[in-house]
Structures are given as structure tokens and as C-alpha cells.
Amino acid sequence: MSSGGDDEAIFPRSFVRQTLTAVRGQGVYIEDADGKRYLDACGGSAVVAIGHGVQEVVAVLSEQASRLAYVHSSQFYAPVAYELASFLQGKFPDRSQNVRVHFTSGGSEAIETAVKIVRQYWLSRNQPQRTRILSRRQSYHGATLGALALSGSLRRRRPFEPLLPPVDHISACFCYRCPLGLEFPACDLACGQELEQAITKVGPDKVAGFILEPVVGASSGAVPPEGYLRLVREICDRQGILLIADEVMTGAGRTGTYFAVEHWNLVPDIILLGKGLTSGYAPLGAVLAGEKVWRQIQQGTGGLDHGFTYQAHPPSVATGLAVQRYIEKNALVDRARDRGAYLAKRLEELRALPCVGDVRGKGLLQTVEFVADKKTCEPFPAEVKFSDRLFDALQERGVVVYPMRGIADGNKGDHILIAPPFIIEEQQIDFLVEQIAAALQEMGQETG
Ligand code: PLP
């Protein structure tokens, strides 16, 4: 392990599985303490966008830290906070709107902030009874208790269930394992229609908003069929509730457009960013609040009764600005689209293997799901630990992917997330797909 520290000083995520020690990153590669190189095929958890080791970003981070490392956002903002906010304003899907940006230290904090913004919006409108935010099953919005309550991922909720405030979840929009047992387009988007039914059930005057991941991240990778997001927008408008798009994983270019909602021309009332905003060079999240939202709060309560110590942290926002400019200068959103199309095409070839049930995704956010029986989509028994074993086999081969379990019922079901940096080359994608095929073969699963 050779970390130079005490291996047993860290309280790790797992006391069962060993975590490697990484010492260096360059481009799409991570190097461990023994000098072994890994292709970072998932950018950590879909974080690394511009690649590791980009020195011009590091220089900005270091320069900002040396000039002004910290101010409290109730007293000062650093100039770079205004600059990054203006940059993001220009990216909002409806360019005619003058959105306002609130910075946090990551995705979960952005979710918590959005919940409080929604609450204060309704307080400002003199409708304090609107307290309920609806969400979807098989979703993930973060690890803090509020964000976890919104999350529908059974596996992640289970240990903490008694601590979570009640949230009404509607069906996931997940065609491969349709929770309603229907097929698109004959289903008439019944999963989307459920939103209206849920609002009626809860009481239309009690609902404050609805949150969704436009393309679901780690908990399924599901991509909505045509018409779903339009339907959701129509229902939110009809019912007068706010629509929040959690783009913590999909935002800043990962799916091949700056925001994933742009694929379907959806304009949410609030958009959340994290991960790719700084490409991992510093912790940062952001809440983009549409004009009707922040103006209402401005006129109502006069401000947001909320704040974190590291809100708009100068080195983090400077890093975010440097990363976003780097993405723009190098046309990396287009790159994510093109390399994403190539990755999807190559991953499709894996469908020929008996254990590959589905390949889905958008841009450089792709998911491969594994099944014991392709016809029935029956997953492997949980004891097989299929995705963990695949992760191990790939790690051995110098490739890192993001394994997940529980997609079928919170316990059974295996998939991996593939979300490499946008700079990945086609031959590196070829290598990645070959290694997945070889690892599956090695696991003896290619024949079912
Ligand atoms: N929302 C989505 C869609 C995510 O994928 C995540 C993290 O994986 C979060 C929110 C939480 O972000 P963070 O882990 O930065 O708190």
C-alpha cells in the first residue's frame, strides 16, 4: 500500500474491500502508489471532465489561494464568483432569462440549497402550506439526509430510512425495467402521468416542486423517451409547481450538450450543478435559480435564509471558471458528444454477450446492465456480486469503472457506469471496451 501514513488511520467507505492509493493523475490515467496506471473510465463518479493534471487550471487555483483564499459570503464575494456566475448565466437553457447563481461546495449542498430556495419561494408567495417536493424512485440526489430523502435509490436509503423526512416518490422513467410493466410508446408515458396523479393525491395546494435527474446517473443511467420531459414540464406548469433539474452529474457538458435538458428543449425553474463544474480540481456546486424564482424571493423575504461556510469559496469558484473556460476553449462539450457517440457504438457490441442486458446513456454518461437471463431481464443473485467482481477484474487490468448493485429491487441487479473524461481518445475507448469484454470472459459469464 506504501502510503507513507498509517493504513488504519482512515475511516474508509468499506472495511471489507481494499482501496488503492493514488499518487498522480495525467489525462485519462491515474497512477497508484506502486506505479501501476489505470484508465479512469468513470472520472471518479462522472466528475473528471477535462482530464487529470491540467496545469493551467492548477495555476489558477494556486494563484487564487495565494491572493485570497477565503471570505465569508455574508461579507464579501471574490471577483471570480461574479465572473463564474455570469458565465453560468449565459449557459442557462433559456438565454432570455436572467438567472442568479448560488455556489455551494458540492452536489448534496446544492440540493439542500434548492429545497430551501423552493421553500422560501412559496413563503414569499404567502403559501406556507406548500411543503412537499416530489421526486422519483431509482434516483440519487445526494448523501445528506435531505438529499437522501429526495433520492429514490432503495439501496442507498435503506440504512437511514427511519431518519429521512417523508417524500412522495413517483415511478422511475426507466424503459428497460419499466416499473409499470409497459412499453413505449404504447404506454402513453404513464410514468410521467403519475406526477399529476401524485399531485392530486398529496393535494395540489401542498406541493412545492418536483425534482428529477434528466438522465439518471448512478442509480440506473435511464434516458427518458421522447415526450417525457415535455409532459413533466406541462404538468408542473398546469399545477403551478417548480421544476428542479438535478444536473450534478449530467451538467457542464457530460451528455454532449451543456445541460442534459437541452436535448429535449426543457427549461427547468432551477438547475443544479456539481462534479464537472470544476472537473474535480476543487469542490464546488451551484444552484441556478430562474428569474421568477429569485425575483419572488427578492420581493418577498428579501433574501435567502441559508448559507454554508464555504459558499462561493474563492479558490473553488476560480477553479470552476478556469475549467469552464478550458472546456469552451477546447470545444470539449462537442468532444463529449462525439466521443460519447463512439463509446455508445462500441459498448453496443457488448450486447452480443449473454450477460449484457442493456446498454444506455447519453454522451459520455453510459451504463451497461448485466443479467442472468436476457429474455426475462432476471438479474444475477445478489451473492454473485457481479458488478463488484467485474470492477475487481477490470481494476486488475488497469481500468476503473463505477459499479452499482440493486438496480432490480434494491438488492439484486448489477450495472456499471462509464463516464470518462471528455478528452478520451477513440483508441482508449477501444481498449476500454476490449478490457470489459475480456474481463467478462475471464469471469466466465460470457456464456451465461
Ligand atoms: N445529484 C446527483 C445526480 C448525483 O449524481 C450526486 C452524486 O453522485 C449528487 C447529487 C450529490 O453530489 P455530491 O456527492 O457532490 O454531494
Side-chain angles (χ1 to χ4, degrees), residues 233-266:
R233 179 73 267 183
E234 280 164 16
I235 295 171
C236 290
D237 287 344
R238 199 160 42 240
Q239 300 285 349
I241 65 169
L242 296 176
L243 177 56
I244 307 146
D246 177 354
E247 295 236 18
V248 167
M249 191 175 274
T250 52
R254 176 148 297 280
T255 69
T257 48
Y258 196 83
F259 292 109
V261 289
E262 292 172 61
H263 291 290
W264 298 277
N265 297 318
L266 173 73

PDB file of all heavy atoms in Angstrom, residues 233-266:
ATOM      1  N   ARG A 233     -42.926  18.971 -17.780  1.00  0.00           N
ATOM      2  CA  ARG A 233     -42.975  20.446 -17.747  1.00  0.00           C
ATOM      3  C   ARG A 233     -44.422  20.939 -17.802  1.00  0.00           C
ATOM      4  O   ARG A 233     -44.828  21.842 -17.072  1.00  0.00           O
ATOM      5  CB  ARG A 233     -42.148  20.995 -18.908  1.00  0.00           C
ATOM      6  CG  ARG A 233     -42.073  22.501 -19.073  1.00  0.00           C
ATOM      7  CD  ARG A 233     -41.220  23.221 -18.058  1.00  0.00           C
ATOM      8  NE  ARG A 233     -41.942  23.704 -16.905  1.00  0.00           N
ATOM      9  CZ  ARG A 233     -41.409  24.419 -15.922  1.00  0.00           C
ATOM     10  NH1 ARG A 233     -40.134  24.724 -15.938  1.00  0.00           N
ATOM     11  NH2 ARG A 233     -42.122  24.813 -14.909  1.00  0.00           N
ATOM     12  N   GLU A 234     -45.213  20.316 -18.687  1.00  0.00           N
ATOM     13  CA  GLU A 234     -46.624  20.724 -18.825  1.00  0.00           C
ATOM     14  C   GLU A 234     -47.374  20.537 -17.507  1.00  0.00           C
ATOM     15  O   GLU A 234     -48.138  21.396 -17.088  1.00  0.00           O
ATOM     16  CB  GLU A 234     -47.317  19.887 -19.910  1.00  0.00           C
ATOM     17  CG  GLU A 234     -47.024  20.371 -21.318  1.00  0.00           C
ATOM     18  CD  GLU A 234     -47.384  19.321 -22.379  1.00  0.00           C
ATOM     19  OE1 GLU A 234     -48.121  18.355 -22.060  1.00  0.00           O
ATOM     20  OE2 GLU A 234     -46.915  19.477 -23.508  1.00  0.00           O
ATOM     21  N   ILE A 235     -47.119  19.392 -16.854  1.00  0.00           N
ATOM     22  CA  ILE A 235     -47.827  19.118 -15.595  1.00  0.00           C
ATOM     23  C   ILE A 235     -47.411  20.136 -14.526  1.00  0.00           C
ATOM     24  O   ILE A 235     -48.255  20.680 -13.811  1.00  0.00           O
ATOM     25  CB  ILE A 235     -47.567  17.665 -15.120  1.00  0.00           C
ATOM     26  CG1 ILE A 235     -48.170  16.675 -16.117  1.00  0.00           C
ATOM     27  CG2 ILE A 235     -48.121  17.437 -13.715  1.00  0.00           C
ATOM     28  CD1 ILE A 235     -47.812  15.219 -15.885  1.00  0.00           C
ATOM     29  N   CYS A 236     -46.107  20.403 -14.437  1.00  0.00           N
ATOM     30  CA  CYS A 236     -45.630  21.375 -13.443  1.00  0.00           C
ATOM     31  C   CYS A 236     -46.259  22.740 -13.696  1.00  0.00           C
ATOM     32  O   CYS A 236     -46.668  23.437 -12.757  1.00  0.00           O
ATOM     33  CB  CYS A 236     -44.099  21.480 -13.472  1.00  0.00           C
ATOM     34  SG  CYS A 236     -43.302  20.015 -12.826  1.00  0.00           S
ATOM     35  N   ASP A 237     -46.356  23.130 -14.964  1.00  0.00           N
ATOM     36  CA  ASP A 237     -46.957  24.433 -15.294  1.00  0.00           C
ATOM     37  C   ASP A 237     -48.437  24.451 -14.935  1.00  0.00           C
ATOM     38  O   ASP A 237     -48.933  25.404 -14.344  1.00  0.00           O
ATOM     39  CB  ASP A 237     -46.784  24.744 -16.791  1.00  0.00           C
ATOM     40  CG  ASP A 237     -45.344  25.107 -17.116  1.00  0.00           C
ATOM     41  OD1 ASP A 237     -44.582  25.408 -16.172  1.00  0.00           O
ATOM     42  OD2 ASP A 237     -44.973  25.066 -18.309  1.00  0.00           O
ATOM     43  N   ARG A 238     -49.112  23.365 -15.318  1.00  0.00           N
ATOM     44  CA  ARG A 238     -50.556  23.298 -15.056  1.00  0.00           C
ATOM     45  C   ARG A 238     -50.840  23.370 -13.553  1.00  0.00           C
ATOM     46  O   ARG A 238     -51.770  24.017 -13.116  1.00  0.00           O
ATOM     47  CB  ARG A 238     -51.079  21.975 -15.629  1.00  0.00           C
ATOM     48  CG  ARG A 238     -52.548  21.961 -15.842  1.00  0.00           C
ATOM     49  CD  ARG A 238     -53.049  20.913 -16.827  1.00  0.00           C
ATOM     50  NE  ARG A 238     -52.451  19.600 -16.724  1.00  0.00           N
ATOM     51  CZ  ARG A 238     -51.781  19.008 -17.713  1.00  0.00           C
ATOM     52  NH1 ARG A 238     -51.599  19.634 -18.866  1.00  0.00           N
ATOM     53  NH2 ARG A 238     -51.292  17.800 -17.567  1.00  0.00           N
ATOM     54  N   GLN A 239     -49.991  22.721 -12.782  1.00  0.00           N
ATOM     55  CA  GLN A 239     -50.199  22.661 -11.337  1.00  0.00           C
ATOM     56  C   GLN A 239     -49.501  23.810 -10.603  1.00  0.00           C
ATOM     57  O   GLN A 239     -49.584  23.912  -9.383  1.00  0.00           O
ATOM     58  CB  GLN A 239     -49.681  21.317 -10.788  1.00  0.00           C
ATOM     59  CG  GLN A 239     -50.372  20.108 -11.380  1.00  0.00           C
ATOM     60  CD  GLN A 239     -51.769  19.903 -10.818  1.00  0.00           C
ATOM     61  OE1 GLN A 239     -52.173  20.528  -9.850  1.00  0.00           O
ATOM     62  NE2 GLN A 239     -52.538  19.015 -11.451  1.00  0.00           N
ATOM     63  N   GLY A 240     -48.761  24.598 -11.350  1.00  0.00           N
ATOM     64  CA  GLY A 240     -48.102  25.767 -10.751  1.00  0.00           C
ATOM     65  C   GLY A 240     -46.983  25.426  -9.791  1.00  0.00           C
ATOM     66  O   GLY A 240     -46.738  26.151  -8.826  1.00  0.00           O
ATOM     67  N   ILE A 241     -46.278  24.299 -10.015  1.00  0.00           N
ATOM     68  CA  ILE A 241     -45.180  23.943  -9.105  1.00  0.00           C
ATOM     69  C   ILE A 241     -43.830  24.120  -9.802  1.00  0.00           C
ATOM     70  O   ILE A 241     -43.755  24.155 -11.035  1.00  0.00           O
ATOM     71  CB  ILE A 241     -45.326  22.502  -8.560  1.00  0.00           C
ATOM     72  CG1 ILE A 241     -45.212  21.480  -9.690  1.00  0.00           C
ATOM     73  CG2 ILE A 241     -46.647  22.341  -7.806  1.00  0.00           C
ATOM     74  CD1 ILE A 241     -45.082  20.042  -9.200  1.00  0.00           C
ATOM     75  N   LEU A 242     -42.789  24.196  -9.010  1.00  0.00           N
ATOM     76  CA  LEU A 242     -41.454  24.433  -9.574  1.00  0.00           C
ATOM     77  C   LEU A 242     -40.819  23.118 -10.029  1.00  0.00           C
ATOM     78  O   LEU A 242     -40.970  22.083  -9.369  1.00  0.00           O
ATOM     79  CB  LEU A 242     -40.552  25.101  -8.535  1.00  0.00           C
ATOM     80  CG  LEU A 242     -40.986  26.508  -8.093  1.00  0.00           C
ATOM     81  CD1 LEU A 242     -40.069  27.027  -6.984  1.00  0.00           C
ATOM     82  CD2 LEU A 242     -40.975  27.487  -9.271  1.00  0.00           C
ATOM     83  N   LEU A 243     -40.109  23.186 -11.127  1.00  0.00           N
ATOM     84  CA  LEU A 243     -39.417  22.012 -11.662  1.00  0.00           C
ATOM     85  C   LEU A 243     -37.911  22.202 -11.475  1.00  0.00           C
ATOM     86  O   LEU A 243     -37.327  23.177 -11.956  1.00  0.00           O
ATOM     87  CB  LEU A 243     -39.759  21.841 -13.152  1.00  0.00           C
ATOM     88  CG  LEU A 243     -39.067  20.707 -13.896  1.00  0.00           C
ATOM     89  CD1 LEU A 243     -39.297  19.359 -13.227  1.00  0.00           C
ATOM     90  CD2 LEU A 243     -39.542  20.655 -15.345  1.00  0.00           C
ATOM     91  N   ILE A 244     -37.312  21.253 -10.762  1.00  0.00           N
ATOM     92  CA  ILE A 244     -35.876  21.338 -10.451  1.00  0.00           C
ATOM     93  C   ILE A 244     -35.146  20.236 -11.213  1.00  0.00           C
ATOM     94  O   ILE A 244     -35.474  19.052 -11.052  1.00  0.00           O
ATOM     95  CB  ILE A 244     -35.647  21.128  -8.937  1.00  0.00           C
ATOM     96  CG1 ILE A 244     -36.527  22.087  -8.135  1.00  0.00           C
ATOM     97  CG2 ILE A 244     -34.186  21.289  -8.559  1.00  0.00           C
ATOM     98  CD1 ILE A 244     -37.002  21.504  -6.832  1.00  0.00           C
ATOM     99  N   ALA A 245     -34.160  20.612 -12.004  1.00  0.00           N
ATOM    100  CA  ALA A 245     -33.365  19.613 -12.725  1.00  0.00           C
ATOM    101  C   ALA A 245     -32.046  19.412 -12.000  1.00  0.00           C
ATOM    102  O   ALA A 245     -31.243  20.342 -11.882  1.00  0.00           O
ATOM    103  CB  ALA A 245     -33.125  20.063 -14.162  1.00  0.00           C
ATOM    104  N   ASP A 246     -31.840  18.207 -11.501  1.00  0.00           N
ATOM    105  CA  ASP A 246     -30.576  17.876 -10.850  1.00  0.00           C
ATOM    106  C   ASP A 246     -29.592  17.463 -11.937  1.00  0.00           C
ATOM    107  O   ASP A 246     -29.620  16.346 -12.440  1.00  0.00           O
ATOM    108  CB  ASP A 246     -30.807  16.737  -9.844  1.00  0.00           C
ATOM    109  CG  ASP A 246     -29.506  16.302  -9.172  1.00  0.00           C
ATOM    110  OD1 ASP A 246     -28.435  16.796  -9.565  1.00  0.00           O
ATOM    111  OD2 ASP A 246     -29.570  15.463  -8.251  1.00  0.00           O
ATOM    112  N   GLU A 247     -28.721  18.410 -12.297  1.00  0.00           N
ATOM    113  CA  GLU A 247     -27.711  18.147 -13.333  1.00  0.00           C
ATOM    114  C   GLU A 247     -26.324  18.073 -12.701  1.00  0.00           C
ATOM    115  O   GLU A 247     -25.323  18.432 -13.324  1.00  0.00           O
ATOM    116  CB  GLU A 247     -27.781  19.213 -14.427  1.00  0.00           C
ATOM    117  CG  GLU A 247     -29.097  19.198 -15.206  1.00  0.00           C
ATOM    118  CD  GLU A 247     -28.892  19.034 -16.709  1.00  0.00           C
ATOM    119  OE1 GLU A 247     -27.796  18.602 -17.136  1.00  0.00           O
ATOM    120  OE2 GLU A 247     -29.836  19.349 -17.448  1.00  0.00           O
ATOM    121  N   VAL A 248     -26.294  17.620 -11.451  1.00  0.00           N
ATOM    122  CA  VAL A 248     -24.999  17.497 -10.757  1.00  0.00           C
ATOM    123  C   VAL A 248     -24.075  16.568 -11.542  1.00  0.00           C
ATOM    124  O   VAL A 248     -22.887  16.841 -11.699  1.00  0.00           O
ATOM    125  CB  VAL A 248     -25.212  17.004  -9.307  1.00  0.00           C
ATOM    126  CG1 VAL A 248     -23.904  16.573  -8.662  1.00  0.00           C
ATOM    127  CG2 VAL A 248     -25.873  18.102  -8.477  1.00  0.00           C
ATOM    128  N   MET A 249     -24.647  15.470 -12.066  1.00  0.00           N
ATOM    129  CA  MET A 249     -23.814  14.549 -12.840  1.00  0.00           C
ATOM    130  C   MET A 249     -23.820  14.871 -14.335  1.00  0.00           C
ATOM    131  O   MET A 249     -22.821  14.744 -15.016  1.00  0.00           O
ATOM    132  CB  MET A 249     -24.272  13.102 -12.620  1.00  0.00           C
ATOM    133  CG  MET A 249     -23.301  12.091 -13.175  1.00  0.00           C
ATOM    134  SD  MET A 249     -23.731  10.386 -12.813  1.00  0.00           S
ATOM    135  CE  MET A 249     -22.998  10.117 -11.217  1.00  0.00           C
ATOM    136  N   THR A 250     -24.958  15.311 -14.845  1.00  0.00           N
ATOM    137  CA  THR A 250     -25.081  15.485 -16.299  1.00  0.00           C
ATOM    138  C   THR A 250     -24.634  16.853 -16.792  1.00  0.00           C
ATOM    139  O   THR A 250     -24.336  17.009 -17.978  1.00  0.00           O
ATOM    140  CB  THR A 250     -26.556  15.289 -16.715  1.00  0.00           C
ATOM    141  OG1 THR A 250     -27.375  16.143 -15.888  1.00  0.00           O
ATOM    142  CG2 THR A 250     -27.011  13.861 -16.548  1.00  0.00           C
ATOM    143  N   GLY A 251     -24.582  17.836 -15.891  1.00  0.00           N
ATOM    144  CA  GLY A 251     -24.314  19.205 -16.315  1.00  0.00           C
ATOM    145  C   GLY A 251     -22.884  19.454 -16.750  1.00  0.00           C
ATOM    146  O   GLY A 251     -22.014  18.599 -16.612  1.00  0.00           O
ATOM    147  N   ALA A 252     -22.659  20.653 -17.293  1.00  0.00           N
ATOM    148  CA  ALA A 252     -21.333  21.094 -17.744  1.00  0.00           C
ATOM    149  C   ALA A 252     -20.788  20.209 -18.867  1.00  0.00           C
ATOM    150  O   ALA A 252     -19.584  20.013 -18.969  1.00  0.00           O
ATOM    151  CB  ALA A 252     -20.358  21.209 -16.580  1.00  0.00           C
ATOM    152  N   GLY A 253     -21.687  19.673 -19.670  1.00  0.00           N
ATOM    153  CA  GLY A 253     -21.247  19.078 -20.933  1.00  0.00           C
ATOM    154  C   GLY A 253     -21.225  17.571 -21.040  1.00  0.00           C
ATOM    155  O   GLY A 253     -21.052  17.031 -22.134  1.00  0.00           O
ATOM    156  N   ARG A 254     -21.385  16.857 -19.945  1.00  0.00           N
ATOM    157  CA  ARG A 254     -21.142  15.406 -19.978  1.00  0.00           C
ATOM    158  C   ARG A 254     -21.982  14.660 -21.010  1.00  0.00           C
ATOM    159  O   ARG A 254     -21.512  13.701 -21.618  1.00  0.00           O
ATOM    160  CB  ARG A 254     -21.336  14.786 -18.572  1.00  0.00           C
ATOM    161  CG  ARG A 254     -21.188  13.283 -18.585  1.00  0.00           C
ATOM    162  CD  ARG A 254     -20.625  12.690 -17.334  1.00  0.00           C
ATOM    163  NE  ARG A 254     -19.284  13.078 -16.979  1.00  0.00           N
ATOM    164  CZ  ARG A 254     -18.168  12.571 -17.510  1.00  0.00           C
ATOM    165  NH1 ARG A 254     -18.221  11.669 -18.463  1.00  0.00           N
ATOM    166  NH2 ARG A 254     -16.985  12.979 -17.096  1.00  0.00           N
ATOM    167  N   THR A 255     -23.220  15.075 -21.215  1.00  0.00           N
ATOM    168  CA  THR A 255     -24.067  14.313 -22.147  1.00  0.00           C
ATOM    169  C   THR A 255     -23.971  14.821 -23.589  1.00  0.00           C
ATOM    170  O   THR A 255     -24.701  14.347 -24.459  1.00  0.00           O
ATOM    171  CB  THR A 255     -25.548  14.322 -21.706  1.00  0.00           C
ATOM    172  OG1 THR A 255     -26.066  15.648 -21.873  1.00  0.00           O
ATOM    173  CG2 THR A 255     -25.721  13.869 -20.268  1.00  0.00           C
ATOM    174  N   GLY A 256     -23.093  15.821 -23.821  1.00  0.00           N
ATOM    175  CA  GLY A 256     -22.921  16.302 -25.196  1.00  0.00           C
ATOM    176  C   GLY A 256     -23.639  17.610 -25.479  1.00  0.00           C
ATOM    177  O   GLY A 256     -23.520  18.169 -26.575  1.00  0.00           O
ATOM    178  N   THR A 257     -24.388  18.101 -24.505  1.00  0.00           N
ATOM    179  CA  THR A 257     -24.895  19.484 -24.533  1.00  0.00           C
ATOM    180  C   THR A 257     -24.532  20.043 -23.158  1.00  0.00           C
ATOM    181  O   THR A 257     -24.279  19.275 -22.226  1.00  0.00           O
ATOM    182  CB  THR A 257     -26.433  19.538 -24.707  1.00  0.00           C
ATOM    183  OG1 THR A 257     -27.038  18.625 -23.788  1.00  0.00           O
ATOM    184  CG2 THR A 257     -26.858  19.180 -26.121  1.00  0.00           C
ATOM    185  N   TYR A 258     -24.518  21.380 -23.027  1.00  0.00           N
ATOM    186  CA  TYR A 258     -24.045  21.908 -21.743  1.00  0.00           C
ATOM    187  C   TYR A 258     -24.901  21.385 -20.593  1.00  0.00           C
ATOM    188  O   TYR A 258     -24.392  20.894 -19.596  1.00  0.00           O
ATOM    189  CB  TYR A 258     -23.997  23.444 -21.740  1.00  0.00           C
ATOM    190  CG  TYR A 258     -23.162  23.943 -20.591  1.00  0.00           C
ATOM    191  CD1 TYR A 258     -21.775  24.015 -20.695  1.00  0.00           C
ATOM    192  CD2 TYR A 258     -23.750  24.266 -19.375  1.00  0.00           C
ATOM    193  CE1 TYR A 258     -20.998  24.402 -19.617  1.00  0.00           C
ATOM    194  CE2 TYR A 258     -22.975  24.658 -18.293  1.00  0.00           C
ATOM    195  CZ  TYR A 258     -21.599  24.721 -18.420  1.00  0.00           C
ATOM    196  OH  TYR A 258     -20.823  25.092 -17.348  1.00  0.00           O
ATOM    197  N   PHE A 259     -26.226  21.474 -20.767  1.00  0.00           N
ATOM    198  CA  PHE A 259     -27.148  20.841 -19.812  1.00  0.00           C
ATOM    199  C   PHE A 259     -27.865  19.715 -20.538  1.00  0.00           C
ATOM    200  O   PHE A 259     -28.243  19.870 -21.708  1.00  0.00           O
ATOM    201  CB  PHE A 259     -28.183  21.852 -19.294  1.00  0.00           C
ATOM    202  CG  PHE A 259     -27.598  22.930 -18.433  1.00  0.00           C
ATOM    203  CD1 PHE A 259     -27.510  24.236 -18.903  1.00  0.00           C
ATOM    204  CD2 PHE A 259     -27.126  22.661 -17.161  1.00  0.00           C
ATOM    205  CE1 PHE A 259     -26.962  25.234 -18.116  1.00  0.00           C
ATOM    206  CE2 PHE A 259     -26.577  23.660 -16.367  1.00  0.00           C
ATOM    207  CZ  PHE A 259     -26.488  24.946 -16.846  1.00  0.00           C
ATOM    208  N   ALA A 260     -28.106  18.606 -19.842  1.00  0.00           N
ATOM    209  CA  ALA A 260     -28.789  17.470 -20.477  1.00  0.00           C
ATOM    210  C   ALA A 260     -30.196  17.855 -20.919  1.00  0.00           C
ATOM    211  O   ALA A 260     -30.693  17.361 -21.929  1.00  0.00           O
ATOM    212  CB  ALA A 260     -28.847  16.287 -19.509  1.00  0.00           C
ATOM    213  N   VAL A 261     -30.851  18.766 -20.169  1.00  0.00           N
ATOM    214  CA  VAL A 261     -32.230  19.155 -20.529  1.00  0.00           C
ATOM    215  C   VAL A 261     -32.313  19.728 -21.936  1.00  0.00           C
ATOM    216  O   VAL A 261     -33.377  19.707 -22.553  1.00  0.00           O
ATOM    217  CB  VAL A 261     -32.827  20.174 -19.519  1.00  0.00           C
ATOM    218  CG1 VAL A 261     -33.113  19.519 -18.181  1.00  0.00           C
ATOM    219  CG2 VAL A 261     -31.942  21.406 -19.372  1.00  0.00           C
ATOM    220  N   GLU A 262     -31.186  20.241 -22.455  1.00  0.00           N
ATOM    221  CA  GLU A 262     -31.196  20.838 -23.800  1.00  0.00           C
ATOM    222  C   GLU A 262     -31.500  19.813 -24.882  1.00  0.00           C
ATOM    223  O   GLU A 262     -31.997  20.171 -25.953  1.00  0.00           O
ATOM    224  CB  GLU A 262     -29.856  21.519 -24.079  1.00  0.00           C
ATOM    225  CG  GLU A 262     -29.622  22.746 -23.223  1.00  0.00           C
ATOM    226  CD  GLU A 262     -28.215  23.280 -23.396  1.00  0.00           C
ATOM    227  OE1 GLU A 262     -27.835  23.660 -24.508  1.00  0.00           O
ATOM    228  OE2 GLU A 262     -27.470  23.280 -22.377  1.00  0.00           O
ATOM    229  N   HIS A 263     -31.217  18.529 -24.632  1.00  0.00           N
ATOM    230  CA  HIS A 263     -31.540  17.500 -25.634  1.00  0.00           C
ATOM    231  C   HIS A 263     -33.042  17.471 -25.905  1.00  0.00           C
ATOM    232  O   HIS A 263     -33.473  17.025 -26.951  1.00  0.00           O
ATOM    233  CB  HIS A 263     -31.118  16.110 -25.140  1.00  0.00           C
ATOM    234  CG  HIS A 263     -29.642  15.918 -25.056  1.00  0.00           C
ATOM    235  ND1 HIS A 263     -28.826  15.836 -26.177  1.00  0.00           N
ATOM    236  CD2 HIS A 263     -28.809  15.780 -23.990  1.00  0.00           C
ATOM    237  CE1 HIS A 263     -27.570  15.657 -25.785  1.00  0.00           C
ATOM    238  NE2 HIS A 263     -27.530  15.620 -24.472  1.00  0.00           N
ATOM    239  N   TRP A 264     -33.811  17.888 -24.910  1.00  0.00           N
ATOM    240  CA  TRP A 264     -35.281  17.806 -25.043  1.00  0.00           C
ATOM    241  C   TRP A 264     -35.930  19.185 -24.932  1.00  0.00           C
ATOM    242  O   TRP A 264     -37.129  19.287 -24.696  1.00  0.00           O
ATOM    243  CB  TRP A 264     -35.845  16.862 -23.971  1.00  0.00           C
ATOM    244  CG  TRP A 264     -35.329  15.453 -24.131  1.00  0.00           C
ATOM    245  CD1 TRP A 264     -35.833  14.499 -24.979  1.00  0.00           C
ATOM    246  CD2 TRP A 264     -34.227  14.843 -23.457  1.00  0.00           C
ATOM    247  NE1 TRP A 264     -35.103  13.345 -24.868  1.00  0.00           N
ATOM    248  CE2 TRP A 264     -34.112  13.511 -23.942  1.00  0.00           C
ATOM    249  CE3 TRP A 264     -33.309  15.273 -22.495  1.00  0.00           C
ATOM    250  CZ2 TRP A 264     -33.130  12.627 -23.500  1.00  0.00           C
ATOM    251  CZ3 TRP A 264     -32.330  14.392 -22.061  1.00  0.00           C
ATOM    252  CH2 TRP A 264     -32.251  13.086 -22.554  1.00  0.00           C
ATOM    253  N   ASN A 265     -35.125  20.244 -25.098  1.00  0.00           N
ATOM    254  CA  ASN A 265     -35.633  21.626 -25.034  1.00  0.00           C
ATOM    255  C   ASN A 265     -36.415  21.923 -23.763  1.00  0.00           C
ATOM    256  O   ASN A 265     -37.423  22.636 -23.806  1.00  0.00           O
ATOM    257  CB  ASN A 265     -36.531  21.939 -26.241  1.00  0.00           C
ATOM    258  CG  ASN A 265     -35.749  21.865 -27.525  1.00  0.00           C
ATOM    259  OD1 ASN A 265     -34.610  22.332 -27.578  1.00  0.00           O
ATOM    260  ND2 ASN A 265     -36.322  21.252 -28.541  1.00  0.00           N
ATOM    261  N   LEU A 266     -35.981  21.358 -22.668  1.00  0.00           N
ATOM    262  CA  LEU A 266     -36.671  21.599 -21.403  1.00  0.00           C
ATOM    263  C   LEU A 266     -36.031  22.784 -20.684  1.00  0.00           C
ATOM    264  O   LEU A 266     -34.809  22.860 -20.589  1.00  0.00           O
ATOM    265  CB  LEU A 266     -36.579  20.354 -20.501  1.00  0.00           C
ATOM    266  CG  LEU A 266     -37.112  20.537 -19.082  1.00  0.00           C
ATOM    267  CD1 LEU A 266     -38.638  20.613 -19.083  1.00  0.00           C
ATOM    268  CD2 LEU A 266     -36.653  19.411 -18.161  1.00  0.00           C
TER     269      LEU A 266
END
